[in-house]
Amino acid sequence: QVQPVESGGGLVQAGGSLRLSCAASHDRLSIVAMGWFRQAPGKEREFVAAISRSGDPTFYADSVKGRFTISTDNAKNTVYLQMNRLKSEDTAAYHCAVRTAPLTLGTLLKYEHYYNFWGQGTQVTVSS
């Protein structure tokens, strides 16, 4: 099994930056993709960004393109989300998602049903 644990959330002023981390501990399983989803109060959970273990491909929601960057450190089984120029609309609980083998390439990484394991989330609050 895999247990993702997120960190790095907090309170930030609009225009500021945060870096989220997700460490995915595992036992005899191969992680092939990781992603970030977010959910604001009263709203549905939405896709933010995703990345394959190899680093290619990557995907971003249109709302965060140019502001957020997803990356991985395979040696640490960790995925990062660098969040710049934050807006009040980015306020949400951010959840890390992990997919284990087998790998499927393509846009499936954008969808919740693709992932096997989910973290508890880390809260990001952007004040305006």
Side-chain angles (χ1 to χ4, degrees), residues 32-33 52 57 59 99-109 114:
V32 298
S52 68
F59 300 94
R99 171 72 182 186
T100 55
L103 171 66
T104 301
L105 298 176
T107 59
L108 287 176
L109 277 66
Y114 177 71

Side-chain angles (χ1 to χ4, degrees), residues 75-94:
K76 298 179 179 179
N77 291 315
T78 299
V79 64
Y80 304 96
L81 186 67
Q82 179 65 47
M83 309 164 66
N84 298 326
R85 292 182 285 137
L86 284 161
K87 306 174 181 179
S88 60
E89 306 95 275
D90 296 317
T91 295
Y94 284 71

Side-chain angles (χ1 to χ4, degrees), residues 109-128:
L109 277 66
K110 300 180 179 179
Y111 300 101
E112 297 180 19
H113 62 77
Y114 177 71
Y115 296 93
N116 306 92
F117 306 100
W118 292 80
Q120 294 182 339
T122 184
Q123 179 67 38
V124 172
T125 302
V126 184
S127 61
S128 61

Side-chain angles (χ1 to χ4, degrees), residues 3-118:
Q3 179 59 62
V5 179
E6 304 97 334
S7 62
L11 175 64
V12 64
Q13 295 282 348
S17 298
L18 286 173
R19 189 194 192 199
L20 306 183
S21 299
C22 175
S25 61
H26 62 96
D27 183 18
R28 299 170 64 85
L29 295 174
S30 296
I31 296 172
V32 298
M34 302 179 73
W36 289 96
F37 295 76
R38 67 187 182 186
Q39 186 170 23
K43 297 184 178 180
E44 297 293 322
R45 187 160 58 187
E46 64 177 351
F47 168 76
V48 177
I51 188 169
S52 68
R53 182 178 179 86
S54 68
D56 183 21
T58 59
F59 300 94
Y60 296 93
D62 289 341
S63 60
V64 306
K65 285 183 178 179
R67 299 189 297 119
F68 292 8
T69 302
I70 190 169
S71 61
T72 60
D73 183 336
N74 289 334
K76 298 179 179 179
N77 291 315
T78 299
V79 64
Y80 304 96
L81 186 67
Q82 179 65 47
M83 309 164 66
N84 298 326
R85 292 182 285 137
L86 284 161
K87 306 174 181 179
S88 60
E89 306 95 275
D90 296 317
T91 295
Y94 284 71
H95 295 263
C96 175
V98 175
R99 171 72 182 186
T100 55
L103 171 66
T104 301
L105 298 176
T107 59
L108 287 176
L109 277 66
K110 300 180 179 179
Y111 300 101
E112 297 180 19
H113 62 77
Y114 177 71
Y115 296 93
N116 306 92
F117 306 100
W118 292 80

